[in-house]
Amino acid sequence: DIQMTQSPSSLSASVGDRVTITCRASQGINNYLAWYQQKPGKAPKLLIYAASTLQSGVPSRFGGSGSGTDFTLTISSLQPEDVATYYCQNYNNALTWTFGQGTKVEIK
Amino acid sequence: QLQLQESGPGLGKPSETLSLTCTVSGGSISSSSYYWGWIRRPPGKGLEWIGSIFYSGSTYYNPSLDSRVSMSVDTSKNQFSLKLSSLTVADTAVYYCARHVRYHNHPNWFDPWGQGTLVTVSS
């Protein structure tokens, strides 16, 4: 199975800061990666698919990049409403779909 | 706007079978563009994909749960269901249903998701 490892597991940043979350796959997955945001008590929401394509309606301060094994989710200017846990998800394997362990983002 | 809603008992006993249903509204479950999936999040842990089903009944299951999982679809009710047998306390989690978007003929990302339902396994 392909393992997805996110770092850091949590971070605290100030409003307006640039925030970067990393996701590493245990083997190459091309650009078959999605990012989700889960706010406390809410369902996960798709932010990005195909590593860098922003889902409709997602603010442009969110961006994704990477290919192969290393991927990043960037929030260009952190806002209070971005407090959430963020997950990456691999869909390269045709038979299983795996998530990273999550990165919790808080406001300093 | 497509919406999904999970339903089922919130409490189960060890060794019993959990049954959950997801009702889809605002769109047809019989679309060839989508599978329909179950994902769970145990307390304090990350997301775990459980399985996905096509409207024809074709399924994919997580190999780590394969022997205990069964999914079915009822197109007449626009619903799909999950059964998880031989429950243990480790199955305590929030269970989500979600649309599993099909692209290049195979399922990829999940969008949208239901609100989730908490299932607690306890004797």
Side-chain angles (χ1 to χ4, degrees), chain B residues 5-96:
Chain B
Q5 180 65 58
E6 306 87 351
S7 59
L11 186 62
K13 286 184 165 50
S15 79
E16 291 186 342
T17 296
L18 167 69
S19 293
L20 296 176
T21 295
C22 182
T23 301
V24 179
S25 59
S28 174
I29 203 170
S30 300
S31 169
S32 62
S33 297
Y34 309 109
Y35 271 67
W36 304 90
W38 289 97
I39 305 100
R40 68 182 182 179
R41 185 173 59 81
K45 296 188 177 181
L47 298 167
E48 179 182 35
W49 168 74
I50 300 170
S52 296
I53 189 166
F54 199 50
Y55 74 93
S56 63
S58 173
T59 55
Y60 294 103
Y61 295 146
N62 188 320
S64 67
L65 300 169
D66 187 282
S67 62
R68 300 195 291 129
V69 171
S70 175
M71 293 178 63
S72 60
V73 61
D74 187 336
T75 55
S76 67
K77 294 182 179 179
N78 232 30
Q79 294 177 334
F80 62 104
S81 298
L82 168 71
K83 289 189 188 301
L84 182 64
S85 63
S86 304
L87 289 175
T88 72
V89 293
D91 294 311
T92 294
V94 177
Y95 285 74
Y96 299 95

Side-chain angles (χ1 to χ4, degrees), chain A residues 23-100:
Chain A
C23 179
R24 176 164 288 174
S26 59
Q27 58 186 270
I29 60 169
N30 297 297
N31 69 333
Y32 298 142
L33 187 98
W35 288 98
Y36 300 86
Q37 174 193 64
Q38 185 171 30
K39 295 183 178 181
K42 300 293 187 182
K45 172 188 170 184
L46 176 70
L47 294 178
I48 287 168
Y49 59 92
S52 60
T53 302
L54 209 63
Q55 173 70 340
S56 176
V58 173
S60 59
R61 64 180 179 274
F62 290 93
S65 64
S67 184
T69 60
D70 295 315
F71 302 87
T72 58
L73 172 70
T74 301
I75 308 173
S76 60
S77 177
L78 186 67
Q79 300 301 305
E81 60 265 33
D82 300 334
V83 169
T85 300
Y86 294 83
Y87 295 93
C88 60
Q89 178 231 325
N90 146 56
Y91 53 90
N92 181 68
N93 186 316
L95 299 179
T96 60
W97 290 265
T98 51
F99 295 86

